Amino acid sequence: MKTRPSAYARSLSGATLAVGLAFLAGCSNMTVVEYPNYHVAEVESFKTYGAPSRVMMVEVHDRENLVTPETWASALSNHGYPPRLDFIADAGDLAPNQTLRDGYRVVVAVSPSQTTMGEKICTAPETTDYPADTTRIPVRIAFCAGDSPISELRAHFIKDEFEQHLIENGDTIIYQLFPRYIRDDDDHRCGMRRADC
């Protein structure tokens, strides 16, 4: 039986991606941003509706405050598909002509508890102290609409280079949280809704 070139190319592409991710995960000095999980068929309209003035809150939960909420806001701002968002950590930073849509925000949990996933990240995120001997810090990040996550992802930051790697990966995080569209077909290469799957 002959394999169609397009199917073969897709298989090869998937294998290359898997090898690439395994390689990156093995690198001890790299931050790894995992594939996101989407709870809806599309995200873009939620993004547009949730930020009428192109401004959105970022809510940071971090027991050790390794990186300030203001740094998170700056690192995540002005990335992704238009309209690009500016993030703020304090509602007092809104300009007079700007408004926030109640409940729409990005929630960050640095060193989250095992139960901080799904709706819990939006309703009751819990964080833990960093283990004394850790070199990587897990982080869960979600775009929330009220009590429900629209999209979420997990990353592993190098502790000693956390701030630098956050700034370098801000664009990746935003592109993952706010994709222009999500392919949700019956393609067996996709185990869940993923952008550009």
Side-chain angles (χ1 to χ4, degrees):
M1 179 174 150
K2 290 184 179 179
T3 303
R4 291 180 303 163
S6 59
Y8 176 76
R10 285 198 303 266
S11 297
L12 184 60
S13 176
T16 303
L17 178 61
V19 171
L21 287 174
F23 172 77
L24 288 177
C27 295
S28 61
N29 64 342
M30 294 187 70
T31 286
V32 177
V33 179
E34 296 182 8
Y35 279 124
N37 184 23
Y38 301 108
H39 299 268
V40 296
E42 58 86 25
V43 174
E44 184 62 30
S45 69
F46 285 88
K47 170 191 175 184
T48 304
Y49 177 82
S53 302
R54 299 185 182 181
V55 176
M56 187 177 287
M57 287 288 294
V58 60
E59 177 186 314
V60 180
H61 300 266
D62 182 356
R63 280 196 188 185
E64 300 195 21
N65 203 30
L66 185 62
V67 177
T68 67
E70 290 75 20
T71 301
W72 275 97
S74 176
L76 299 180
S77 291
N78 201 29
H79 297 297
Y81 298 107
R84 293 184 169 186
L85 304 182
D86 286 322
F87 287 89
I88 58 173
D90 185 340
D93 293 336
L94 277 176
N97 63 336
Q98 294 175 328
T99 59
L100 294 172
R101 184 82 69 191
D102 188 38
Y104 284 81
R105 69 224 183 269
V106 166
V107 177
V108 176
V110 181
S111 190
S113 67
Q114 291 294 323
T115 62
T116 299
M117 60 180 66
E119 287 192 358
K120 279 266 193 155
I121 195 168
C122 298
T123 59
E126 296 177 354
T127 59
T128 63
D129 292 330
Y130 310 159
D133 60 347
T134 192
T135 57
R136 289 180 176 270
I137 300 174
V139 178
R140 282 195 178 274
I141 307 168
F143 169 40
C144 296
D147 293 345
S148 302
I150 301 299
S151 57
E152 61 179 316
L153 59 83
R154 185 170 58 178
H156 303 272
F157 284 89
I158 305 303
K159 182 179 180 180
D160 293 340
E161 301 175 54
F162 195 115
E163 184 170 340
Q164 176 190 341
H165 285 202
L166 168 60
I167 293 168
E168 292 172 355
N169 286 280
D171 58 344
T172 300
I173 292 168
I174 292 301
Y175 273 105
Q176 298 273 39
L177 287 180
F178 301 104
R180 180 169 285 162
Y181 62 90
I182 299 168
R183 294 182 186 174
D184 182 23
D185 51 26
D186 293 325
D187 191 332
H188 296 293
R189 295 173 300 136
C190 303
M192 58 183 161
R193 294 184 175 117
R194 291 179 182 163
D196 301 323
C197 179

